[in-house]
Amino acid sequence: MFGYVTICEPELKVKDLKKYRAYYCGLCRILKEDYGFMGQMTLTYDMTFAVILLSSLYESQTETRMHRCKVHPVKKQFMLTNEITSYAAAMNVLLAYYHMEDDWNDEHKVSSLMTKSLIYRKAERISEQYPRQSGGIRKWLRELDECEKEGSTDIDRTAGCFGHLMEELFVYREDIWEKNLRRMGFFLGKFIYLMDAYEDLPEDIEKGRYNPLKQLYEQEDYEERMQQILCMMIAESTAEFERLPCLVDVDILRNILYDGVWSRYNKIQLKKSEERGK
């Protein structure tokens, strides 16, 4: 997860902003309680979105909590938690574990080995509890690794690996909404992967690292093509979202899907515009 699926704060009502932060703080708290400090370090905005989405869809009974934390030691913070918060926390830790495992296998990063070792037992327990999700993460990270080793420029294939990974995480229950959640997660996952590749491309070219967009970058209409591809991915994801019977916190969810996901893209465009103006 890369932090692209977040709110557009200026467009969000004050009450909705407060509630969004309560979900975020709630996820942070559960990560700490269930997985300790290292679990807390895996916190992402992307998984906060999953908490809000699934809580709205399944109308989960949410508990209001008040706690202090290291970031806010003086004043207690408003937090919202439920069973889905616990699920999202588990997925956060599982993703972090397999990411560290890949980093160690591929690049032998000592920091990755140390982090992996610290959360090994917790990740093993999560894998036993959620075998489908665990198997999906391992499978699609391996496939993504193969794409990188081959130097694949097949954008659909490489982004699709992360899309398939995300769809497994979005399926909290295998029920009537599974098909919609899978498609929503798949296209959102592709959007996240492509946004990350788009943002990292200049540095990847400079350092000679793999990036599936390198071939497309050589074409004159690269920027227009990228915008079209990203728009298509998020349009497919939001179309599936609108088919779900989400009523609670729908303004927050729409703020994220229609505005928030573009925050980093807009910052990149602003930076490029400033550089051209120099």
Side-chain angles (χ1 to χ4, degrees), residues 30-219:
I30 294 299
L31 280 165
K32 182 181 179 181
E33 290 178 357
D34 292 354
Y35 306 105
F37 173 74
M38 291 309 300
Q40 198 174 21
M41 294 299 291
T42 69
L43 178 66
T44 64
Y45 290 116
D46 309 79
M47 200 58 80
T48 303
F49 170 76
V51 172
I52 302 171
L53 171 70
L54 295 173
S55 296
S56 177
L57 177 61
Y58 291 110
E59 299 180 349
S60 299
Q61 190 66 39
T62 303
E63 176 188 357
T64 301
R65 309 170 70 181
M66 298 293 289
H67 290 285
R68 291 187 178 90
C69 63
K70 289 183 178 179
V71 179
H72 305 98
V74 178
K75 185 179 179 181
K76 288 186 176 181
Q77 297 300 300
F78 175 47
M79 301 177 184
L80 293 172
T81 60
N82 55 39
E83 63 181 37
I84 291 168
T85 314
S86 298
Y87 169 75
M91 295 303 103
N92 251 26
V93 172
L94 205 57
L95 276 170
Y97 174 77
Y98 288 124
H99 176 66
M100 294 300 110
E101 187 173 61
D102 277 356
D103 278 352
W104 169 247
N105 292 336
D106 295 344
E107 302 176 36
H108 285 78
K109 289 183 179 179
V110 176
S111 59
S112 296
L113 177 62
M114 291 175 64
T115 305
K116 173 178 173 288
S117 301
L118 289 170
I119 62 175
Y120 168 74
R121 293 192 182 279
K122 294 180 175 66
E124 286 293 299
R125 287 199 296 270
I126 295 169
S127 295
E128 291 173 4
Q129 186 178 0
Y130 300 103
R132 172 178 57 79
Q133 290 90 332
S134 176
I137 293 171
R138 290 199 305 270
K139 174 183 176 180
W140 294 110
L141 284 179
R142 282 198 300 267
E143 179 67 20
L144 187 56
D145 184 55
E146 286 299 315
C147 290
E148 292 177 1
K149 286 177 179 176
E150 295 170 11
S152 174
T153 56
D154 185 337
I155 298 172
D156 193 54
R157 178 191 171 197
T158 52
C161 293
F162 199 75
H164 286 301
L165 184 155
M166 281 288 287
E167 73 172 80
E168 290 296 342
L169 302 188
F170 269 50
V171 178
Y172 177 57
R173 297 174 185 166
E174 295 176 271
D175 58 14
I176 189 174
W177 306 117
E178 178 179 358
K179 182 178 178 180
N180 301 96
L181 286 169
R182 281 191 178 279
R183 282 184 56 82
M184 183 183 176
F186 175 71
F187 287 106
L188 186 60
K190 290 182 76 173
F191 175 89
I192 292 169
Y193 182 86
L194 291 169
M195 267 300 306
D196 186 63
Y198 176 72
E199 185 172 18
D200 290 348
L201 184 60
E203 186 176 342
D204 287 342
I205 291 174
E206 181 182 341
K207 296 186 177 181
R209 295 187 302 221
Y210 170 76
N211 191 304
L213 302 180
K214 283 183 179 179
Q215 190 175 76
L216 183 62
Y217 179 70
E218 296 171 358
Q219 300 179 22

Side-chain angles (χ1 to χ4, degrees), residues 226-241:
M226 277 307 304
Q227 186 180 41
Q228 290 172 1
I229 292 169
L230 290 168
C231 283
M232 184 169 61
M233 295 301 102
I234 205 64
E236 291 286 352
S237 185
T238 52
E240 292 303 322
F241 164 72

